[in-house]
Amino acid sequence: MQQDSLHNIAEQKRKTVNTPEFTEDGRYMRKVRSFVLRTGRLSEAQKRAMNDNWAFFGLEHQQQPFDFAKIFGNTHPVILEIGFGMGQSLVTMAKQNPQYNYLGIEVHTPGVGACIATALEQKVNNLRVICHDAIEILQDNISDNSLAGLQLFFPDPWQKAKHHKRRIVQTPFIELIMQKLTPNGFIHMATDWENYAEHMLEVLRSQSNLSNTSITNDFIPRPDSRPLTKFEQRGQRLGHGVWDLYFIKNQ
């Protein structure tokens, strides 16, 4: 990427992002166009964090798999988080677990900028971020058997029944994740929508090569490894439930 382009990366990402489209049975369709993402404007701090540090923290969609050893400068296991929001919990996990490398995908550009700014503040360097459609990144840029884990926390619930097919957690998505996970790799999901939690559980249980770590074969208490977010703390005060699922890929 040219140097002058790096100086405008925040605005470029804000304006043009690919959106996933799915068939009626949840199969991913390759997109034929981009669209203007209607997000909040980036603050000056978020914009500066992206523009000044994208060369280190940012990864772009490409036509071949990522070389994680080259990107991170080591061979530590890689954990992917899809939809990291403002990135605070992702940065916290990366800081607390230097023995892992973290890769975060988020299409909301203010969140990407905030995540990079927090990583700089916390002096975290075992983290890279992508501002692109997650399905396309998984298909094109993540090698099979290369991820130690997948994290998906509070994805869009698409609460209306007619929109349930837009939920990212569908059988084809989990089948794709399974290809990318190493043996003993994990899938950790969390949602505050009980209906979505039940749907996630059904989809994950349908995979014969996945084992549920829950002693009751459904959900687990929030593990200490997943930081409590401000969003979640607010929900707890309002009496909202949160459901965590943690499955392991069999050897």
Side-chain angles (χ1 to χ4, degrees):
M1 186 173 293
Q2 298 296 320
Q3 191 63 33
D4 57 347
S5 297
L6 283 173
H7 291 156
N8 299 308
I9 192 70
E11 192 64 15
Q12 292 172 11
K13 294 296 184 184
R14 189 181 75 84
K15 285 185 174 181
T16 308
V17 175
N18 288 323
T19 179
E21 297 177 8
F22 300 90
T23 60
E24 287 295 326
D25 63 351
R27 296 268 168 196
Y28 175 76
M29 294 191 299
R30 183 168 292 275
K31 299 163 298 300
V32 295
R33 63 180 178 83
S34 295
F35 79 118
V36 175
L37 190 66
R38 291 173 174 79
T39 73
R41 295 185 66 84
L42 288 91
S43 70
E44 286 304 313
Q46 292 164 354
K47 191 181 299 184
R48 187 166 56 250
M50 284 188 72
N51 289 341
D52 293 351
N53 301 280
W54 191 256
F56 179 80
F57 285 104
L59 295 180
E60 297 288 347
H61 175 262
Q62 57 188 41
Q63 297 307 312
Q64 63 273 346
F66 293 135
D67 183 342
F68 288 137
K70 183 177 180 181
I71 288 168
F72 290 102
N74 59 57
T75 57
H76 295 169
V78 177
I79 295 173
L80 171 66
E81 180 166 331
I82 295 176
F84 56 74
M86 301 305 280
Q88 289 184 329
S89 65
L90 178 58
V91 172
T92 297
M93 282 186 283
K95 185 174 184 178
Q96 292 177 348
N97 298 282
Q99 73 276 23
Y100 290 102
N101 293 322
Y102 287 82
L103 180 63
I105 301 177
E106 176 59 65
V107 296
H108 185 61
T109 45
V112 175
C115 182
I116 291 175
T118 304
L120 287 167
E121 179 185 320
Q122 297 294 319
K123 296 181 172 58
V124 167
N125 57 23
N126 59 328
L127 170 65
R128 300 294 184 274
V129 296
I130 302 171
C131 192
H132 195 88
D133 167 46
I135 303 296
E136 201 158 79
I137 293 294
L138 283 163
Q139 289 179 332
D140 298 342
N141 301 147
I142 308 295
S143 297
D144 290 353
N145 302 301
S146 69
L147 295 177
L150 179 279
Q151 298 178 167
L152 184 69
F153 303 143
F154 306 102
D156 192 328
W158 292 103
Q159 56 265 42
K160 292 183 180 179
K162 65 180 181 179
H163 292 154
H164 282 182
K165 64 175 182 268
R166 298 186 184 183
R167 291 171 167 175
I168 190 171
V169 181
Q170 308 288 351
T171 296
F173 171 72
I174 298 301
E175 290 175 345
L176 179 58
I177 293 296
M178 291 288 288
Q179 293 175 25
K180 308 305 176 181
L181 289 178
T182 60
N184 293 320
F186 69 84
I187 295 177
H188 183 190
M189 299 182 180
T191 180
D192 58 340
W193 284 83
E194 187 172 13
N195 171 271
Y196 200 1
E198 294 290 349
H199 172 76
M200 289 175 172
L201 181 62
E202 180 182 355
V203 172
L204 291 171
R205 277 177 172 172
S206 71
Q207 295 293 318
S208 60
N209 203 29
L210 278 177
S211 296
N212 194 348
T213 63
S214 166
I215 59 174
T216 52
N217 199 33
D218 47 19
F219 308 104
I220 63 168
R222 179 185 65 85
D224 292 337
S225 60
R226 182 172 72 77
L228 195 64
T229 64
K230 291 181 180 178
F231 166 82
E232 198 172 348
Q233 289 173 330
R234 178 178 177 274
Q236 286 184 344
R237 289 195 298 271
L238 296 174
H240 296 173
V242 171
W243 292 265
D244 277 77
L245 304 95
Y246 199 100
F247 281 67
I248 300 290
K249 179 180 176 180
N250 302 329
Q251 292 193 24

